[in-house]
Amino acid sequence: MEGKRRLNRAEVFTFVNPWMRYFLFFFSFVFWVFSLLIVAIGVYAKIQKATDTVRNTFLIDPAVILIVVGVVMFFVTFCGCIGALRQNIHLLKTFSISLTLVFLTQLAIAVLGFFYSDQTRDALEKFVKKAIVHYRDDLDLQNLMDYIQKEFQCCGWNNYTDWSWNLYFNCTHENPSSERCAVPYSCCTPVPGESVINTMCGFGVQTMSPLEAHKSIHPVGCVDKAAMWIESHLLLVGALALGTALPQIAGIVLSHILISQIQYDITSVL
């Protein structure tokens, strides 16, 4: 009889805060849906390509990066959704640990990037060099490079002559390509009033001096322009970093509180 009374009281009263429980559920659900969208976009982009032409660009393929990020988000947020909804301690612990690992990984990358700036710059240079080499092999990679060069008004990594890394734009006399010594149109300075983009505006630019090239393209490398942009937008960069970190910290804290409440609820019944 005493055991029955305890169970009846447990059905009426619980230490688990329903507002916190459902807030964590909806918080995880929103990011879970977002992760599905990311995976869908990545898979769609991947199946649109011929696999034999992008084999060498697997690690820098934007579609692959989207799929990996989406799958990780899906796993983490799924544990948060079901764990909060079903009050499952094991799933909530998995959610908390996974989210903590993701947050610490991001923090470690940021700290190492700050203290080992030279090594970070070398690693990014290798990444961009590979992207330039395979510029014509992967449409997504091509669009990404064009977008970066347009937005930052830059060309190449160090300067516009970096485009000689590419087979088509290589500026050696032995290169039979019609684009020899050229740069992509995304390096070009826009002409006022021009409605149609001249995709041949960068032809022969690599044979020019920086002073001459400046008349038709942005000769400065993207690494310098990116550094200048970050320095002039420190408030925005800080806000983006905070906006990325706060939801993760909130998820970790809420899951820990919910786990402790569920555990306390179980021990009170026993």
Side-chain angles (χ1 to χ4, degrees), residues 103-120:
F103 176 73
L104 291 177
T105 301
Q106 294 173 348
L107 187 63
I109 291 171
V111 171
L112 290 173
F114 179 79
F115 286 105
Y116 297 94
S117 56
D118 292 337
Q119 289 85 343
T120 303

Side-chain angles (χ1 to χ4, degrees), residues 82-99:
I82 305 302
L85 188 65
R86 304 294 298 175
Q87 298 187 93
N88 188 301
I89 292 178
H90 297 296
L91 285 176
L92 285 172
K93 284 183 177 179
T94 303
F95 171 74
S96 177
I97 293 169
S98 301
L99 202 57

Side-chain angles (χ1 to χ4, degrees), residues 19 36 48 66 87 94 110 147 166 177 215 218:
W19 291 103
L36 286 175
Q48 293 301 309
L66 283 176
Q87 298 187 93
T94 303
Y147 176 80
N166 185 275
S177 172
K215 296 175 183 177
H218 302 290

Side-chain angles (χ1 to χ4, degrees), residues 14-29 80-81 83-85 87 92 95 250-262:
T14 176
F15 290 99
V16 178
N17 189 321
W19 291 103
M20 188 172 295
R21 175 190 168 195
Y22 286 112
F23 179 79
L24 182 59
F25 167 75
F26 285 115
F27 171 85
S28 301
F29 181 75
C81 278
L85 188 65
Q87 298 187 93
L92 285 172
F95 171 74
I252 294 167
V253 172
L254 285 173
S255 59
H256 273 289
I257 294 173
L258 197 57
I259 288 169
S260 63
Q261 289 179 348
I262 295 170

